[in-house]
Amino acid sequence: MTACINLQNLRKVINEEDWNQLLEDVKPKYFINTKSDYKQKSHTLENAESDKYSKNLYDELAENDLNEHERSCDYPHNSYFPYDGVIRWTVDNIIACDKFTDCLIDNKLDMLRLSIQFLCNFFTYALPNAVSMDDDVPRYLDSDDLKQTILNTTSSRHRPLANAACIYVHNALKKLHYDYFMHDQKILYQKLLKPTKEGFTSAKDALLCLLRRPNVFEDVYSSIGVDGKLDLLEVIYNELWESWETNDDVTFTQDQAEFLALTFCERSDLILKTVDTYVNSVEPREVILTLDILGLLTSLKYKILTNAKRLLINCKYLLMSLHMMGKDSNNFFTPITNLSEVAPNDQGRTVNVSSTNDAETFETLTAQYDPQDHPAFGFKAGLIQVIANMVYKDRTCQDLFREIDGIPLLLDCCNIDARNPLIPQWTILALRNLCEGNLENQEIIRNCKKEGVLDNPVLQEMGLTLHEDEDGKSIRIAPLRRN
């Protein structure tokens, strides 16, 4: 440690508690950088009286030549240090600041932040047996008042201080004994959610570390309201998306994937409420986010096992319901195959719609909306994505989807639909995965019979049409004849 202060002046500053001078002479980073140099080991000297913060011990060690101590005792001075008194003082200092954090001046805030960083680095690097709480020093850290102060500080308006507290929670969850911070998982989740939403990476990492504990994700998800569920699903989705983009390891467990698959199956019918409404209800949004997560999970290393059959059947019949409802009448599930209908325009799109059954009124209202505003935007494509991923090189899922007559349904979903971008591509991928190594599925497609050529309004608008050759074996795009 390099500092512009000698031992005599340092002792004077500490005795007088002149922290402004201390911060001026010894920068906070110097304290933090000693984290890995010395391990914790208690030390006693015969001529040093015991006191709360071990000041007498530190005075004795500072005034005498350490080489003399090396020869006179068996304490390993070169690799260990008696942090006991420092820890007790630091814990007391943190607790004392709990109710006044937002009123502290800058130097006091720095001292509080430094205290939290010091404790965090101490149990992370300098405490040989941090898992056990039997020794004196770990017991100091197991103070309920200390833990509550740390949790309260995660919401501090002073960002460096809040960040230090979040890092403390993260390292404590990974390093200290299992029950540390785990008395109320819901409260801990809520404390970490606020800084996570404010962009603290340390808070997000701590939150994900918490959720990886056995049964924590399931217990927390089941105990919070719908708004809380949406926040949690957003965090998980963003983390999975980032992992997918960077090919990093995914911080999610197989049990959590199974839980979300089961949750989706139990609540997925809520999406059908949006057939004729633009109301962005939180319940459908929960289903939509869950489906988005399942699409990413099944694209990564996760394979739904326990709930695979139920999820695949659910996706098929939900897809069929949406598809048939879209065909029965003009509603928000009806495919938009003419892309010019959704071309950008200058019309306002802010009408407050609850629901309508009148076809003319519906057409007027849809003209004022961007399809992306509807909560079920892309939902059919999302279902097909999950299906495509689940049947990939999985004979059981391939056969099951054939047995529930899912292949003809997919063939009917190959058209362009502005409400479901990339749905033709996902459908083709699903059909490809269904047929790979499965002769029975290949036979179903091979036996499909052509019944004619459908009119395509998109091509007609471009002055083109589909033309069947005389041999009836091929179809090509040709100019549309004008009368």
Side-chain angles (χ1 to χ4, degrees):
M1 181 176 77
T2 303
C4 301
I5 187 171
N6 57 37
L7 178 60
Q8 182 178 358
N9 290 337
L10 178 60
R11 291 182 61 191
K12 179 181 178 182
V13 167
I14 294 175
N15 289 334
E16 295 178 357
E17 296 189 357
D18 188 355
W19 307 125
N20 290 339
Q21 186 62 42
L22 180 63
L23 289 173
E24 181 67 25
D25 293 336
V26 183
K27 301 303 181 184
K29 64 181 181 180
Y30 295 141
F31 291 101
I32 304 304
N33 288 340
T34 64
K35 63 184 182 292
S36 59
D37 296 339
Y38 292 92
K39 304 298 183 184
Q40 156 64 20
K41 186 177 179 65
S42 297
H43 189 13
T44 57
L45 291 177
E46 293 182 0
N47 57 342
E49 291 185 22
S50 176
D51 60 291
K52 183 176 181 181
Y53 297 135
S54 304
K55 288 183 178 180
N56 295 328
L57 171 64
Y58 297 142
D59 283 343
E60 184 68 23
L61 291 175
E63 289 178 354
N64 293 279
D65 189 347
L66 288 181
N67 290 327
E68 294 297 326
H69 286 297
E70 290 272 0
R71 290 192 290 268
S72 61
C73 70
D74 58 358
Y75 189 89
H77 290 278
N78 289 331
S79 55
Y80 286 83
F81 184 80
Y83 288 102
D84 314 52
V86 181
I87 298 300
R88 286 194 292 269
W89 181 90
T90 306
V91 170
D92 288 347
N93 180 53
I94 293 173
I95 295 173
C97 295
D98 183 22
K99 296 181 180 180
F100 311 102
T101 302
D102 291 334
C103 302
L104 296 176
I105 61 175
D106 289 344
N107 285 339
K108 289 289 186 180
L109 285 171
D110 282 339
M111 287 300 296
L112 178 56
R113 175 183 56 81
L114 175 60
S115 296
I116 294 175
Q117 287 182 258
F118 169 74
L119 283 188
C120 180
N121 288 333
F122 168 75
F123 68 70
T124 303
Y125 302 105
L127 193 58
N129 190 20
V131 176
S132 172
M133 288 291 155
D134 295 333
D135 298 334
D136 286 340
V137 170
R139 277 203 297 269
Y140 305 148
L141 300 177
D142 205 24
S143 162
D144 289 338
D145 289 338
L146 170 65
K147 289 185 278 189
Q148 188 59 51
T149 302
I150 296 294
L151 291 180
N152 293 341
T153 307
T154 59
S155 301
S156 172
R157 290 176 294 181
H158 187 68
R159 290 184 66 87
L161 180 59
N163 188 52
C166 292
I167 294 174
Y168 184 103
V169 175
H170 173 266
N171 287 13
L173 289 172
K174 295 188 69 174
K175 185 74 174 178
L176 295 180
H177 70 101
Y178 183 82
D179 291 332
Y180 200 89
F181 279 133
M182 295 297 289
H183 295 302
D184 194 324
Q185 301 163 358
K186 181 179 177 181
I187 290 179
L188 179 56
Y189 160 76
Q190 291 171 337
K191 288 289 187 181
L192 292 172
L193 180 61
K194 180 178 180 292
T196 297
K197 293 170 67 174
E198 292 175 355
F200 285 92
T201 302
S202 54
K204 182 197 71 173
D205 292 342
L207 182 60
L208 294 173
C209 184
L210 169 67
L211 296 176
R212 283 196 295 272
R213 297 285 185 92
N215 300 319
V216 170
F217 174 75
E218 295 87 337
D219 293 344
V220 168
Y221 192 87
S222 301
S223 65
I224 57 180
V226 178
D227 288 335
K229 287 181 171 66
L230 293 179
D231 289 333
L232 178 54
L233 292 173
E234 284 279 5
V235 171
I236 293 173
Y237 176 80
N238 291 335
E239 181 67 13
L240 290 172
W241 179 260
E242 183 178 335
S243 298
W244 182 80
E245 284 190 314
T246 59
N247 293 320
D248 290 339
D249 291 335
V250 184
T251 53
F252 212 65
T253 69
Q254 186 65 38
D255 288 341
Q256 291 169 346
E258 296 287 350
F259 174 78
L260 283 180
L262 183 61
T263 300
F264 177 78
C265 292
E266 292 174 345
R267 301 182 61 79
S268 58
D269 286 350
L270 291 170
I271 198 66
L272 301 178
K273 291 181 178 181
T274 66
V275 61
D276 57 1
T277 179
Y278 253 91
V279 174
N280 200 8
S281 171
V282 292
E283 291 182 332
R285 284 175 57 205
E286 178 190 355
V287 175
I288 293 162
L289 265 175
T290 305
L291 179 65
D292 290 340
I293 291 173
L294 290 173
L296 285 175
L297 285 174
T298 52
S299 297
L300 297 166
K301 65 179 181 180
Y302 295 92
K303 194 171 186 65
I304 307 299
L305 300 173
T306 306
N307 297 297
K309 181 177 180 180
R310 183 173 181 178
L311 178 59
L312 192 61
I313 292 175
N314 183 274
C315 287
K316 185 268 178 180
Y317 283 101
L318 188 57
L319 176 63
M320 183 175 67
S321 297
L322 297 173
H323 195 60
M324 298 307 296
M325 291 171 72
K327 284 188 171 184
D328 286 344
S329 62
N330 191 13
N331 53 57
F332 291 120
F333 296 153
T334 303
I336 300 177
T337 56
N338 188 349
L339 300 184
S340 63
E341 294 179 17
V342 293
N345 57 65
D346 296 330
Q347 296 179 3
R349 300 179 182 272
T350 58
V351 177
N352 183 16
V353 183
S354 57
S355 64
T356 178
N357 293 318
D358 183 77
E360 183 177 350
T361 304
F362 182 87
E363 291 182 3
T364 301
L365 293 174
T366 53
Q368 298 174 321
Y369 276 95
D370 187 330
Q372 296 185 60
D373 294 336
H374 191 265
F377 177 77
F379 195 80
K380 283 174 63 176
L383 289 171
I384 297 174
Q385 176 186 0
V386 172
I387 293 170
N389 293 336
M390 291 187 67
V391 301
Y392 177 65
K393 293 186 177 180
D394 189 312
R395 184 58 185 255
T396 302
C397 288
Q398 289 175 343
D399 292 342
L400 174 61
F401 201 74
R402 179 185 69 251
E403 293 164 2
I404 59 177
D405 295 325
I407 295 178
L409 174 62
L410 286 180
L411 290 171
D412 204 25
C413 291
C414 284
N415 295 319
I416 292 175
D417 179 9
R419 301 189 195 275
N420 289 278
L422 300 180
I423 193 172
Q425 289 82 353
W426 280 117
T427 302
I428 292 170
L429 178 63
L431 291 168
R432 180 261 179 209
N433 291 348
L434 281 163
C435 292
E436 184 179 20
N438 194 309
L439 296 178
E440 291 88 345
N441 289 349
Q442 295 174 22
E443 191 65 21
I444 288 179
I445 296 179
R446 184 179 296 111
N447 291 333
C448 290
K449 296 181 180 179
K450 182 179 65 176
E451 296 183 354
V453 180
L454 292 175
D455 290 334
N456 190 310
V458 177
L459 290 178
Q460 290 179 4
E461 191 171 288
M462 299 170 61
L464 303 171
T465 187
L466 295 175
H467 177 73
E468 183 178 4
D469 290 340
E470 294 180 359
D471 57 9
K473 295 183 179 180
S474 60
I475 298 175
R476 58 188 175 86
I477 297 177
L480 181 66
R481 292 184 179 180
R482 302 290 185 182
N483 293 330

